[in-house]
Amino acid sequence: MTAATGRTGTPPGASGTPTGRPPGGAVAAAVRGANPIAKLAASAVLAIALVFSLDVVSASVALALELLLLPFAGLDGRTFWRRTLPIWAAAPFAGLTILLYGRSSGTVHIEWLLVRISDGSMELALATMLRILAIALPAVVLFATVDPTDFADGLAQLLRLPARFVLGALAGLRLLDLFGDDWRALALARRARGVGDAGRVRGFFGQAFALLVLAIRRGSTLATAMEARAFGAPGPRTWARRSRLSRADALLVAAAAGIAVTAVGAAVALGEWAFLGGR
Amino acid sequence: MPAAVRAEGWGWRHASRRAFAVRGLDLEIRAGERVLLLGSSGAGKSTVLAGLAGVLGGSEEGDAEGRLLLDGAPAGTRRGRAGLVLQDPESSVVLARVGDDVAFGCENLGVPRDEIRRRVGEALDAVGLHVPLDASTARLSGGQKQRLALAGVLAMRPGLVLLDEPTANLDPDGVREVRDAVGRMIERTGATLVVVEHRTAVWADLVDRVVVLEPGGGVSADGDPATVFATAGDALAARGVWVPGRPVDLPHRRPPRPGEPLLRTASLQPGRGRTPVGLPVDREIRGASALAVAGRNGVGKSTFGLTLAGLLPPVAGTVGALPPLARGLGPEPARWRSTELLTRIGAVFQQPEHQFLAADVAGELAIGPRAIGAAPADIEARVDELLERLRLTRLAAANPFTLSGGEKRRLSVATALATRPALVVLDEPTFGQDAVTWRELVLLVRELIDAGAGVVAVTHDSDFADGIDADRLVLAAQPAGHAR
């Protein structure tokens, strides 16, 4: 799970992921270097617990505990805000929608056309907002330091997904970088060929089609290159990088499970736990 | 263990084509031989390599005839015995990190982990790629990417190494890097080698046998390099092979007197986005003359060409079109409409694929004339004339993407000329071209110049620049600390 065939001990995130110069600390390094499959499991544990609990208490306890731990997740401040900005923006919007249109109960405060703000919808809105943050923040932060190659190794070696599928997807992912350059070149080329004056929408679709054609060409060349290197050869495949789970990975998943249990436990203890919104 | 190759009446027809790419090929290559495979553009050289590498695909991809054997067994069944390096460096990289990419083939063959580790180190050493194992493959230069691909092949310990125009997309530095890497590889492994490449001078010292394929099938010359080049030199040159020590014969020409100024740059600094590349350029471009633009890698030659062509706005300074070129429009080509550009400035990109828009060659040539509103009869006449002039008539109905490298290049030049622009900007037009296409390009550009057009060619190829009697402009990098 370290870079190649290479020296062991290099945290995977250190090579390709744009984490800038992340804060040090042994915990942060351990989280950064955790197996992507452990990160996937930790995110999943939190998500499952919170998807089933639609109450303010479980979501806020989970979020509070997470916020305490996130500084140790191996992201520097800048990257943290850049990566999580969409969540901070989306969560209040989701909450607002629920506030205005959500299932109402209790005292109704405002009513106007379809809008109906009630005690029930206010509580639901708050719970939704907190829940989105509590699920998405750890997932985004943990996956910000996941290297695609290591993730693919984990998916194929630990979760036993078909290697052909996983590696094909991984190689295809690399082509995405090229598509950015292709897109810019195509825009210039279309202008040079006299078809750059089309309206914005038509031009976009024309160019998108050209990119698709090019992408298929590139994809098939890449497939040939992979095949020429015995990709899909009969017989067992070996892995230059061994993907395995360590004690740190177990601790990461345990921490996530701890948060989930504490959050649900607190809600249950306070009699607030709302399983799937029911009570 | 080097591998032996044997073709017995072998042929292959792509499913989308009527004609066979290769037919009736009888050839024997002994283990450890180093063969340069030659033939004109479209003689099926790449098909032979793909067949040997076992990547032609099954019956849904095309029809096979005869037999193609590797160590006595059908080539497709011997995975890992043959390793293939393709022309386009971009498409041969599989993984994001150098060490992982080299290991990829070994993994597929089921080589044990410790063994892979050892082989990766050896292979990178053999191709002289001394970068950290976790270096990003995306940041390698073209020459480095090709050496990486070669290392990936070497790590598989193939008995047969196949190189399909490995240096065609590279600048002169990259060509040298790859050639030296192949030389070192041969010394160390003794593998059988088959190279396809037009630039024979690069490989002449490395190979011990030259085989010339006939278009349509068969072998027309076969022997040691000196003999083949001496006895079949004329025939080879006529087929587009760059015969060592034999310059391409160009008719003598007196360049015309330069015409009116078309374009003038003032303190021009091109760039992508807002970052200027290179030092400011003041230059005038006249009709009936050529300008060759050179400079080291990364100095922004392509960007310079695109800016002159009115495709990118200058980051600093100006590109000023003068009345003979602007013909009533404003002085900034970057502000002209796309259709207005067509009759004024034509651009030929380094990668022809980027410029292809139509489903067939004839349709491709008709796009420009149609965009400027030419009459259908005129469009047809112009398309036929260009097809004929650039020897593409036979391919009028073919999909542009399925053409060979030389054919693609001829087509991309033809599309730019279809609307008779007053200024033509070409980006590395001769990269990877065979001698016949090369000569045609020179003559075509000469014709353009003689007819009064201005030509700007971004090129590393000084023979080409000489051939079109071009003035030189060498772009300079910004001093360190100033750039980027």
Side-chain angles (χ1 to χ4, degrees):
Chain A
M1 100 189 196
T2 46
T5 45
R7 306 127 310 192
T8 46
T10 323
S15 56
T17 43
T19 46
R21 202 175 305 127
V27 178
V31 175
R32 268 203 307 279
N35 192 302
I37 299 304
K39 295 181 181 177
L40 180 69
S43 309
V45 164
L46 285 170
I48 290 167
L50 291 169
V51 156
F52 286 112
S53 326
L54 193 46
D55 58 80
V56 176
V57 175
S58 60
S60 45
V61 169
L63 184 60
L65 291 173
E66 287 166 14
L67 289 175
L68 284 176
L69 295 179
L70 283 181
F72 302 98
L75 279 195
D76 64 287
R78 223 185 108 111
T79 314
F80 173 82
W81 290 112
R82 198 162 47 84
R83 293 296 179 100
T84 60
L85 192 66
I87 309 170
W88 295 108
F93 269 108
L96 186 67
T97 313
I98 301 281
L99 176 70
L100 301 182
Y101 308 109
R103 189 175 61 188
S104 55
S105 60
T107 320
V108 174
H109 300 281
I110 296 172
E111 195 162 5
W112 182 69
L113 296 178
L114 291 176
V115 173
R116 184 187 280 174
I117 299 179
S118 64
D119 278 349
S121 72
M122 283 165 77
E123 195 185 331
L124 212 53
L126 185 63
T128 303
M129 193 177 86
L130 294 173
R131 203 158 58 125
I132 289 175
L133 291 173
I135 292 175
L137 282 181
V140 167
V141 167
L142 288 176
F143 271 81
T145 52
V146 162
D147 177 273
T149 309
D150 298 327
F151 192 34
D153 285 340
L155 288 176
Q157 293 174 50
L158 297 174
L159 300 186
R160 305 271 165 206
L161 262 55
R164 219 181 143 73
F165 166 75
V166 170
L167 290 169
L170 179 65
L173 199 64
R174 210 194 53 79
L175 284 183
L176 288 181
D177 289 345
L178 292 179
F179 292 161
D181 296 339
D182 280 340
W183 180 258
R184 284 183 284 277
L186 281 173
L188 301 184
R190 291 174 66 79
R191 178 167 158 77
R193 292 296 314 276
V195 295
D197 296 330
R200 205 166 273 250
V201 175
R202 249 189 75 199
F204 174 82
F205 282 110
Q207 195 173 328
F209 183 73
L211 184 69
L212 184 68
V213 172
L214 211 55
I216 292 171
R217 289 283 151 190
R218 276 203 195 282
S220 70
T221 319
L222 178 64
T224 305
M226 290 172 75
E227 230 183 304
R229 294 220 244 143
F231 184 58
R237 189 183 197 278
T238 49
W239 298 87
R241 306 161 300 276
R242 181 179 292 156
S243 183
R244 53 188 152 189
L245 297 169
S246 63
R247 184 191 296 260
D249 296 318
L251 285 175
L252 178 65
V253 179
I259 293 175
V261 168
T262 312
V264 173
V268 170
L270 291 174
E272 292 282 324
W273 192 49
F275 179 72
L276 275 179
R279 204 169 268 190
Chain B
M1 267 289 287
V5 172
R6 192 183 173 87
E8 296 170 353
W10 188 72
W12 176 265
R13 186 171 66 94
H14 293 281
S16 61
R17 291 290 185 84
R18 233 169 289 149
F20 272 74
V22 181
R23 197 162 207 185
L25 177 68
D26 290 298
L27 181 65
E28 177 142 20
I29 298 173
R30 286 184 302 278
E33 268 191 311
R34 307 194 295 259
V35 178
L36 178 61
L37 193 60
L38 300 174
S40 49
S41 173
K45 305 178 295 278
S46 296
T47 309
V48 173
L49 292 199
L52 286 171
V55 296
L56 274 178
S59 51
E60 71 276 12
E61 306 277 332
D63 303 323
E65 258 182 15
R67 303 208 295 164
L68 189 62
L69 305 173
L70 201 57
D71 291 337
T77 62
R78 304 297 308 268
R79 277 294 175 82
R81 269 303 271 165
L84 171 67
V85 175
L86 298 162
Q87 176 178 341
D88 179 12
E90 295 303 332
S91 312
S92 358
V93 179
V94 179
L95 292 172
R97 291 182 296 233
V98 166
D100 298 352
D101 191 76
V102 177
F104 182 71
C106 296
E107 295 179 315
N108 292 327
L109 291 174
V111 176
R113 183 171 297 139
D114 294 337
E115 172 72 11
I116 294 182
R117 189 164 303 189
R118 197 163 52 241
R119 288 193 188 185
V120 168
E122 280 175 19
L124 284 171
D125 191 45
V127 300
L129 193 59
H130 301 292
V131 299
L133 290 175
D134 61 358
S136 158
T137 50
R139 274 179 228 135
L140 301 179
S141 72
Q144 286 178 319
K145 278 186 182 144
Q146 285 302 66
R147 285 187 285 155
L148 176 70
L150 189 61
V153 161
L154 282 189
M156 294 162 65
R157 302 260 166 91
L160 170 65
V161 174
L162 305 161
L163 309 175
D164 190 357
E165 305 197 36
T167 67
N169 288 17
L170 304 181
D171 61 50
D173 289 341
V175 172
R176 256 191 307 279
E177 286 173 19
V178 170
R179 195 216 97 102
D180 293 348
V182 172
R184 251 194 317 274
M185 171 203 89
I186 289 171
E187 252 171 54
R188 294 193 190 186
T189 68
T192 311
L193 175 76
V194 181
V195 190
V196 168
E197 188 99 76
H198 308 298
R199 300 258 170 188
T200 50
V202 176
W203 302 100
D205 301 339
L206 273 182
V207 299
D208 48 24
R209 181 175 168 196
V210 175
V211 174
V212 184
L213 290 190
E214 277 295 290
V219 170
S220 66
D222 187 349
D224 69 275
T227 314
V228 170
F229 289 136
T231 56
D234 291 328
L236 283 174
R239 287 201 177 76
V241 172
W242 293 91
V243 179
R246 182 191 294 253
V248 173
D249 181 39
L250 289 171
H252 181 73
R253 165 188 191 238
R254 264 186 59 181
R257 183 191 293 275
E260 290 175 291
L262 298 176
L263 202 67
R264 200 172 282 144
T265 73
S267 308
L268 170 65
Q269 280 183 295
R272 309 234 181 194
R274 262 175 285 173
T275 325
V277 201
L279 292 175
V281 178
D282 294 278
R283 189 82 192 196
E284 188 175 81
I285 292 148
R286 291 170 162 262
S289 74
L291 177 67
V293 181
R296 295 187 61 84
N297 270 339
V299 74
K301 295 185 296 293
S302 291
T303 315
F304 181 77
L306 293 170
T307 309
L308 288 190
L311 300 175
L312 288 175
V315 172
T318 56
V319 174
L322 301 164
L325 179 66
R327 279 179 262 149
L329 299 180
E332 293 172 68
R335 289 173 175 262
W336 297 347
R337 294 169 64 82
S338 169
T339 45
E340 291 168 344
L341 218 42
L342 279 180
T343 53
R344 293 174 176 85
I345 310 180
V348 178
F349 285 39
Q350 192 169 332
Q351 302 233 357
E353 286 91 344
H354 281 142
Q355 284 184 290
F356 294 158
L357 300 167
D360 58 58
V361 168
E364 201 67 72
L365 292 171
I367 284 177
R370 197 178 305 129
I372 56 170
D378 293 342
I379 295 177
E380 202 177 320
R382 183 68 178 146
V383 169
D384 288 344
E385 179 194 339
L386 285 165
L387 285 173
E388 196 61 39
R389 177 70 187 78
L390 288 152
R391 291 189 296 123
L392 294 166
T393 309
R394 166 179 77 83
L395 297 163
N399 184 314
F401 281 97
T402 63
L403 303 183
S404 73
E407 292 159 351
K408 279 181 187 161
R409 170 53 74 214
R410 297 206 298 270
L411 176 60
S412 70
V413 173
T415 57
L417 301 187
T419 46
R420 300 193 172 86
L423 176 66
V424 178
V425 180
L426 306 145
D427 191 0
E428 298 291 2
T430 59
F431 259 13
Q433 298 306 320
D434 65 44
V436 170
T437 305
W438 187 91
R439 183 170 185 274
E440 263 169 9
L441 285 170
V442 172
L443 296 182
L444 194 68
V445 171
R446 281 183 176 184
E447 238 174 72
L448 274 177
I449 296 167
D450 293 345
V455 169
V456 176
V458 173
T459 183
H460 276 99
D461 184 345
S462 57
D463 291 337
F464 179 72
D466 289 339
I468 59 173
D469 303 292
D471 293 331
R472 307 302 172 97
L473 170 64
V474 180
L475 296 184
Q478 298 189 13
H482 198 76
R484 301 212 172 203

